[in-house]
Amino acid sequence: MRDVIVFVEHSGGQTRKVTFELAAEARRLADALGGKAHAVVAGSGAAALAQQLQNHPLDKIHYTDDPDVDKYLLDPFVDYLEAVAKMTGPSVVLVPNTMLGRDIAGRIAARLNAGLASDVTELRVENGRVQCVAPKLQGSTITTCAFKAGDYGVITVRPNAFSAAPKSMGAEVLSIEKPPGKSYKMAVESDVEEASGELGLEEAPVVVSGGRGLGGPQPFETLLKPLADALGGAVGASRAAADAGWVPYSLQIGQTGKIVSPQLYLAVGISGAIQHKVGMQTAGTIVAINRDGTVPIGETADLLVVGDLFQIVPALTALVQKAKAAHA
Amino acid sequence: MKAPALKIVVTVKLVPDPNAVRRIDPATKRLVRTGVDTALNPFDEYAIEAALQLKERLGPETTVTIFTMARESMKESLRKALAMGADDAVMLSDPALEGSDVSLTSYAMAQALKKVGFDVILSGALSDDGNTGGVPGALAEYLGVPGLTNVRKIEEIGDGRIKAQRETDTGYQVVTGPLPALVTVTMAVGEPRYASLKGIMGAKKKTIEILSAADAGIDRPLGSDGAKMEVVAIAAPKSREKARVVEAADGASGAQAIFDFLRERKLV
Ligand SMILES: Cc1cc2nc3c(=O)[nH]c(=O)nc-3n(C[C@H](O)[C@H](O)[C@H](O)COP(=O)(O)OP(=O)(O)OC[C@H]3O[C@@H](n4cnc5c(N)ncnc54)[C@H](O)[C@@H]3O)c2cc1C
Ligand SMILES: Nc1ncnc2c1ncn2[C@@H]1O[C@H](COP(=O)(O)O)[C@@H](O)[C@H]1O
């Protein structure tokens, strides 16, 4: 286990920010292991994205713009990642802990007969072995796992847990050959956007989340969106809000939704059920607005303001906007 | 026209009751599973629900088999799934499988599922205790079948094909492919049904078959010997200081309290 390989997640011609965090971590691990840091980028626009990745501390960037990657589900991604991994020999594969990353992780682990560490928030190398620190059991326990030294290892990494460190090291850009004899089966017929612009939820520095307390879909637009915009963040939701159909499921934060770790998390009208907390409890600062002072979110929050969200949120938005205007 | 019958298998993990306090044994560094009630992994209940909906759609010749890899002592916990309406269950149980990691678990399950046979496998997206979400993908690889993940609605199934809507980060995709396949479902498929009294009575007579590792044809090193990863340390999380609680007299004072706090932390 010497080299480190980063799976590059991208969409709409843009590399997801978490990729840059993984690139910085790959550099650090590769140096400690005495190996090289690679990235694998596949899909439409990959050639251009590979060029941009040269601004990050990598040694080799492997790319393919094979159209099959976008036409078929998952398998082409896994094939290309496997091809690079097999070329480098026993290595560490880093994928983001996102919907796509989780799908890729189990598959590539099986292909490489590798161990899988998930939702990792800290990485280190001890005696040549990579150790992964991850919160488990709904955040109640922090476990450290180690891979066997001579094997492959696959790690899903929590977005926002590491910092990017852009730096050009003159990485080589190489095209990957299509593995022979592949035919793909699960075809993507159409792609429908329900929540445009919300792709960055896991990566947003600020998340303003609404729950059942919002009472309907409108307050997400009229109350939360302006506050999120003023704070430079994204809107999220509890499962209760998604279940009610007020927002698409893609905004749901929690065990069955997205796991976020922003600098600031604002929980508005959310009680803080354990399944919700799992998705946000590692945020830097947590502020809750709730009319009930005894809600469980109080055990996780840094500040709990007890009052009516319909009065507090607009007033807060105005304060933030005013401060921003004064600053500009 | 009569819909073709399907053999559906639902993978169900048996997990410590999600409402009980979870604990890791410091000596073995494994989750304590004794003395704690066992429950069906909540996410897998949605997969069971999806399977039963398919059975209703396709007719009684379509069968739903529950499959789990777990200790034999947990056998009775499967009755709930049978009471919901599944036809039977198969359990892969072998002391040699204790301490298996994701890849070994998936490999072992795949070997057993090849014996069981299936047109479609339905799985939850993740387990409440393991929480890796890695098993379904690895299982599809070891079985050599295509995987269709995060499905919220199965639009069409039968005649060797499936068409479904799968959730993505920004919305959904419509995906089609051949059967057999492995499908993971999201909670959007619908709330798991409750078992009826008749279902509970009927479940007592349904069969739960037990397979050993040898029965399943598992030919790799097992348990922690075969695992690619080991837990080297466990710790308690850093505890957060208790929240500062502010009673807001009105909207303006509540907003000011938050604003001042954000200023203090240099967040605005
Ligand atoms: C297997 C499983 C998985 C789950 N996964 C998730 C998940 O991923 N994410 C998730 O979020 N949940 C998840 N849940 C659901 C979770 O248990 C809770 O039901 C859900 O989080 C509750 O959402 P809520 O806080 O918005 O609603 P509630 O618990 O109803 O809380 C609403 C809050 O709003 C407050 N409020 C109401 N009106 C006002 C007002 N005018 N001003 C201020 N405050 C107000 C109330 O005091 C209350 O505290 C899961 C559940 C299960 C069983
Ligand atoms: N031991 C097991 N027995 C049956 N199904 C399992 C087992 N482990 C995992 N699964 C299935 O894989 C899904 C994801 O689990 P995990 O990868 O552990 O988060 C679960 O929802 C189950 O459907």
Side-chain angles (χ1 to χ4, degrees), chain B residues 15 26 98 103 111 136 163 187 194-195 205-206 232 247 266:
Chain B
V15 298
E98 300 258 333
S103 106
Q111 290 300 95
K163 179 173 180 183
M187 295 167 99
Y194 288 102
K205 295 191 286 288
K206 292 181 178 170
V232 294
E247 300 278 346
K266 301 195 166 45

Side-chain angles (χ1 to χ4, degrees), chain B residues 11-14 41 43-44 67-70 102 105 109 122-127 130-136:
Chain B
T11 62
V12 175
K13 192 172 184 186
L14 298 177
N41 175 33
F43 308 105
D44 295 335
F67 175 86
T68 192
M69 170 169 143
V102 173
T105 299
M109 285 174 60
L122 295 180
S123 299
L126 82 172
S127 63
N131 238 319
T132 68
V135 168

Side-chain angles (χ1 to χ4, degrees), chain B residues 234-253:
Chain B
I234 51 171
K238 276 189 229 110
S239 59
R240 288 186 104 100
E241 286 196 22
K242 238 185 137 40
R244 207 186 288 179
V245 180
V246 174
E247 300 278 346
D250 54 26
S253 66

Side-chain angles (χ1 to χ4, degrees), chain A residues 258-283:
Chain A
K258 294 194 168 128
I259 296 179
V260 299
S261 199
Q263 287 160 26
L264 171 62
Y265 188 87
L266 251 128
V268 183
I270 292 177
S271 61
I274 183 72
Q275 296 93 348
H276 187 79
K277 286 183 184 173
V278 171
M280 45 63 78
Q281 62 197 354
T282 56

Side-chain angles (χ1 to χ4, degrees), chain A residues 4-194:
Chain A
V4 183
I5 303 170
V6 172
F7 172 76
V8 177
E9 186 169 347
H10 60 93
S11 160
Q14 297 236 301
T15 304
R16 294 193 69 166
K17 188 176 135 249
V18 60
T19 300
F20 306 134
E21 297 160 15
L22 299 192
E25 228 15 50
R27 171 84 273 143
R28 210 177 55 77
L29 291 177
D31 288 346
L33 293 164
K36 298 223 179 309
H38 305 252
V40 175
V41 49
S44 92
L49 297 175
Q51 299 294 331
Q52 291 165 19
L53 279 166
Q54 285 188 301
N55 299 326
H56 291 269
L58 296 158
D59 298 307
K60 292 185 182 189
I61 301 160
H62 310 262
Y63 79 95
T64 171
D65 29 32
D66 179 357
D68 279 353
V69 173
D70 299 296
K71 282 205 297 241
Y72 296 94
L73 204 59
L74 301 172
D75 294 311
F77 272 134
V78 182
D79 282 341
Y80 283 109
L81 192 53
E82 180 190 13
V84 173
K86 291 265 166 81
M87 205 162 67
T88 60
S91 42
V92 184
V93 179
L94 301 180
V95 296
N97 187 22
T98 54
M99 268 180 117
L100 177 64
R102 281 192 293 273
D103 277 349
I104 303 267
R107 296 183 149 258
I108 191 73
R111 294 266 181 106
L112 300 172
N113 193 12
L116 171 61
S118 59
D119 199 20
V120 168
T121 55
E122 220 182 298
L123 284 159
R124 32 177 197 259
V125 175
E126 252 167 59
N127 304 324
R129 288 172 88 197
V130 176
Q131 295 194 346
C132 308
V133 180
K136 290 282 165 221
L137 301 181
Q138 308 190 317
S140 64
T141 306
I142 309 295
T143 61
T144 305
C145 290
F147 292 109
K148 294 206 172 133
D151 287 333
Y152 285 96
V154 178
I155 303 173
T156 70
V157 179
R158 183 179 289 202
N160 271 347
F162 297 97
S163 309
K167 181 181 174 195
S168 176
M169 301 188 54
E172 256 182 282
V173 174
L174 306 155
S175 108
I176 326 169
E177 296 217 4
K178 194 174 175 94
K182 294 288 178 187
S183 68
Y184 298 117
K185 300 206 172 90
M186 279 293 165
V188 178
E189 286 197 344
S190 60
D191 224 318
V192 182
E193 285 223 342
E194 289 180 322

Side-chain angles (χ1 to χ4, degrees), chain A residues 73 99 188-196 248-250, chain B residues 148-153 155 163-175 186 188:
Chain A
L73 204 59
M99 268 180 117
V188 178
E189 286 197 344
S190 60
D191 224 318
V192 182
E193 285 223 342
E194 289 180 322
S196 58
Y249 279 105
S250 53
Chain B
L148 215 177
T149 49
N150 299 314
V151 165
R152 67 177 192 186
K153 188 172 179 214
E155 290 187 347
K163 179 173 180 183
Q165 289 181 13
R166 72 184 286 270
E167 284 173 29
T168 65
D169 266 319
T170 49
Y172 69 95
Q173 291 177 328
V174 178
V175 179
T186 70

Side-chain angles (χ1 to χ4, degrees), chain B:
Chain B
M1 202 180 75
K2 200 167 145 294
L6 289 181
K7 177 160 179 154
I8 305 173
V9 177
V10 187
T11 62
V12 175
K13 192 172 184 186
L14 298 177
V15 298
D17 183 351
N19 299 314
V21 178
R22 258 59 89 61
R23 201 167 63 77
I24 291 188
D25 181 337
T28 63
K29 301 196 172 63
R30 288 189 203 152
L31 187 60
V32 174
R33 291 178 191 275
T34 43
V36 181
D37 281 346
T38 300
L40 308 179
N41 175 33
F43 308 105
D44 295 335
E45 291 193 16
Y46 290 84
I48 300 172
E49 174 60 32
L52 296 173
Q53 287 174 14
L54 284 180
K55 187 178 163 90
E56 283 162 2
R57 217 154 100 186
L58 300 173
E61 274 148 50
T62 286
T63 56
V64 176
T65 299
I66 304 297
F67 175 86
T68 192
M69 170 169 143
R71 285 186 190 159
E72 196 173 339
S73 61
M74 296 176 175
K75 184 176 164 186
E76 288 310 309
S77 306
L78 288 171
R79 295 283 170 208
K80 180 178 173 194
L82 298 173
M84 284 170 76
D87 295 284
D88 54 12
V90 178
M91 227 179 157
L92 173 62
S93 279
D94 201 304
L97 293 167
E98 300 258 333
S100 297
D101 63 2
V102 173
S103 106
L104 208 56
T105 299
S106 312
Y107 163 76
M109 285 174 60
Q111 290 300 95
L113 284 164
K114 283 183 200 162
K115 293 258 145 84
V116 172
F118 58 89
D119 294 306
V120 59
I121 295 178
L122 295 180
S123 299
L126 82 172
S127 63
D128 194 59
D129 57 346
N131 238 319
T132 68
V135 168
L139 189 55
E141 287 289 335
Y142 288 122
L143 287 168
V145 300
L148 215 177
T149 49
N150 299 314
V151 165
R152 67 177 192 186
K153 188 172 179 214
I154 296 175
E155 290 187 347
E156 293 163 23
I157 191 164
D159 287 332
R161 293 198 70 74
I162 179 167
K163 179 173 180 183
Q165 289 181 13
R166 72 184 286 270
E167 284 173 29
T168 65
D169 266 319
T170 49
Y172 69 95
Q173 291 177 328
V174 178
V175 179
T176 58
L179 296 179
L182 181 142
V183 174
T184 69
V185 303
T186 70
M187 295 167 99
V189 294
E191 282 302 306
R193 64 195 63 193
Y194 288 102
S196 63
L197 192 59
K198 191 165 153 254
I200 295 169
M201 298 310 291
K204 293 185 181 142
K205 295 191 286 288
K206 292 181 178 170
T207 52
I208 301 178
E209 187 191 349
I210 312 275
L211 295 180
S212 69
D215 295 336
I218 292 166
D219 52 13
R220 276 213 210 161
L222 297 172
S224 2
D225 293 341
K228 300 286 181 185
M229 223 180 48
E230 59 171 330
V231 180
V232 294
I234 51 171
K238 276 189 229 110
S239 59
R240 288 186 104 100
E241 286 196 22
K242 238 185 137 40
R244 207 186 288 179
V245 180
V246 174
E247 300 278 346
D250 54 26
S253 66
Q256 194 65 48
I258 296 173
F259 187 77
D260 292 344
F261 184 77
L262 297 183
R263 261 281 145 87
E264 201 180 292
R265 296 212 167 185
K266 301 195 166 45
L267 289 163
V268 279

